[in-house]
Amino acid sequence: MPTFLRRSVPLLALLGALLLPLAAAAQTPPVRIMPLGDSITYGSLPGGYRNKLYQTLTAAGYSVDFVGTQTANGVGTLPDSDHEGHSGWTIGQIDANIAGWFGAIADPDVILLHIGTNDFGLNVDTPNAINRLDALITKM
């Protein structure tokens, strides 16, 4: 090994040891996820699908921040219970409120949308449901 490399190795090791704690402390920002939709988003069980999703993502090493204006139907194993789940709501009801919710929270990175079940269950203009869903997605 050349002399300059033999002298550099301890210096590089020391530099690495000093910078490692800084790299560990500099975590990536959390992924901002907006659970949006009807009762399936709200959850029939405490935390709904949001609980299992949070547990799975954080166990995989992700930092997660659920966002929304609602916090009801949480559970102790779900430390972040923010969501935008509204039991019984239709595509039109979500569409009528989406701008206000986006105005109330910082932009999410990911939107998990589950809507339309009630439109079909209540027979709300089902032939045009896809057009209303498309308009909602375009608005988002």
Side-chain angles (χ1 to χ4, degrees):
M1 179 183 303
T3 305
F4 76 91
L5 262 180
R6 278 195 302 258
R7 285 187 225 161
S8 299
V9 170
L11 179 61
L12 290 175
L14 177 62
L15 186 59
L18 292 173
L19 293 178
L20 186 60
L22 293 175
Q27 294 181 345
T28 58
V31 178
R32 297 176 48 76
I33 301 172
M34 181 185 213
L36 171 65
D38 54 28
S39 60
I40 293 171
T41 301
Y42 180 85
S44 57
L45 299 172
Y49 76 79
R50 298 173 283 112
N51 185 39
K52 179 68 173 170
L53 177 62
Y54 185 88
Q55 300 307 318
T56 302
L57 289 174
T58 56
Y62 291 95
S63 178
V64 175
D65 178 18
F66 283 145
V67 298
T69 64
Q70 304 296 305
T71 58
N73 198 28
V75 65
T77 55
L78 179 59
D80 184 356
S81 61
D82 298 331
H83 65 90
E84 210 55 65
H86 300 273
S87 294
W89 279 36
T90 63
I91 296 168
Q93 290 171 300
I94 296 290
D95 184 61
N97 289 279
I98 195 70
W101 297 326
F102 283 160
I105 61 167
D107 291 340
D109 299 312
V110 176
I111 299 171
L112 302 177
L113 177 63
H114 187 283
I115 194 68
T117 304
N118 295 315
D119 294 74
F120 283 85
L122 300 170
N123 199 25
V124 176
D125 190 22
T126 56
N128 292 306
I130 191 71
N131 296 329
R132 289 182 285 117
L133 181 59
D134 183 59
L136 171 60
I137 292 170
T138 299
K139 189 181 284 186
M140 292 188 307

